[in-house]
Amino acid sequence: MEILLYVSAAIAALSLLLIAIFVITTLKSAKATMNEVSETLTSMQGKLNGITDQANELLANTNRITEDVERKMQSLNSVAKTAEKLDDSTAYMNKSFQSLSEQISNPDPKYKDLMQKANTITGIAASIFFRAKREKAKQANYSSQERYHNPASQNMDLLPYPQKRLPEPGQKN
């Protein structure tokens, strides 16, 4: 029985030796894995720092662009307000021109006679002017061929047609 005791002690010692060998192998493997994990974490930290720097630059660019867009939007708002004011001004000018047009087409009766006289005087002055031009052209002895080749001299014979006559005072339009 004593042999059994020695054999069992030897088996126990051998088992402890095998357990120690397996533990040492496992620890060496774990150490290698921990070194790889450490290297991976260091590499990832470097990459994350690079990404963080790029993200910060992108954020700064985005902020600059946003400020620029806001300034441009404010400029567009002022342009839109100016356009609204221009529309109001245009409407006011149209009303003024309409009012002026109506005053000219329907003058006060006391001015109609004066306007008609001014129209007559203007017509007489134009007639005298064109007649003097025609006489001057005749004195220069233009030949018929020169008159044919110079269209400006042909128009001197024609007086312009008078504009629409105003009704006499007391007449209705």
Side-chain angles (χ1 to χ4, degrees):
M1 237 258 5
E2 203 172 288
I3 289 193
L4 279 175
L5 210 88
Y6 287 120
V7 172
S8 67
I11 291 176
L14 188 59
S15 346
L16 284 176
L17 182 65
L18 285 175
I19 288 176
I21 292 173
F22 286 130
V23 167
I24 289 171
T25 309
T26 305
L27 286 176
K28 283 184 180 180
S29 174
K31 184 177 179 183
T33 304
M34 290 299 277
N35 286 339
E36 289 177 12
V37 168
S38 176
E39 288 176 13
T40 304
L41 285 176
T42 304
S43 173
M44 284 185 66
Q45 186 176 7
K47 289 179 181 179
L48 283 176
N49 286 341
I51 291 173
T52 302
D53 292 342
Q54 289 178 353
N56 287 338
E57 288 178 27
L58 182 62
L59 185 61
N61 286 339
T62 303
N63 287 338
R64 281 193 297 270
I65 290 171
T66 302
E67 290 172 0
D68 187 43
V69 166
E70 286 177 2
R71 279 194 306 269
K72 288 179 181 177
M73 289 296 289
Q74 288 174 354
S75 296
L76 284 176
N77 286 340
S78 66
V79 168
K81 288 179 182 176
T82 303
E84 288 175 8
K85 290 178 183 177
L86 181 63
D87 188 38
D88 294 341
S89 298
T90 304
Y92 179 74
M93 285 179 59
N94 284 341
K95 286 180 185 177
S96 297
F97 285 139
Q98 184 68 30
S99 172
L100 183 62
S101 173
E102 286 183 22
Q103 286 178 356
I104 290 172
S105 65
N106 298 320
D108 195 0
K110 64 182 180 180
Y111 297 121
K112 280 187 180 181
D113 185 42
L114 180 63
M115 289 172 73
Q116 197 161 21
K117 288 177 183 177
N119 191 16
T120 304
I121 291 171
T122 305
I124 292 170
S127 175
I128 292 171
F129 175 77
F130 285 111
R131 191 173 296 152
K133 280 254 192 202
R134 190 173 55 230
E135 290 298 319
K136 188 176 181 181
K138 284 182 182 178
Q139 288 175 0
N141 290 326
Y142 282 116
S143 69
S144 62
Q145 284 184 340
E146 288 176 336
R147 283 188 153 245
Y148 180 76
H149 291 297
N150 187 358
S153 65
Q154 291 176 353
N155 291 337
M156 284 191 218
D157 294 337
L158 301 175
L159 288 175
Y161 288 104
Q163 298 289 329
K164 176 184 165 187
R165 289 212 170 258
L166 294 174
E168 294 290 327
Q171 287 182 347
K172 291 190 176 182
N173 291 348

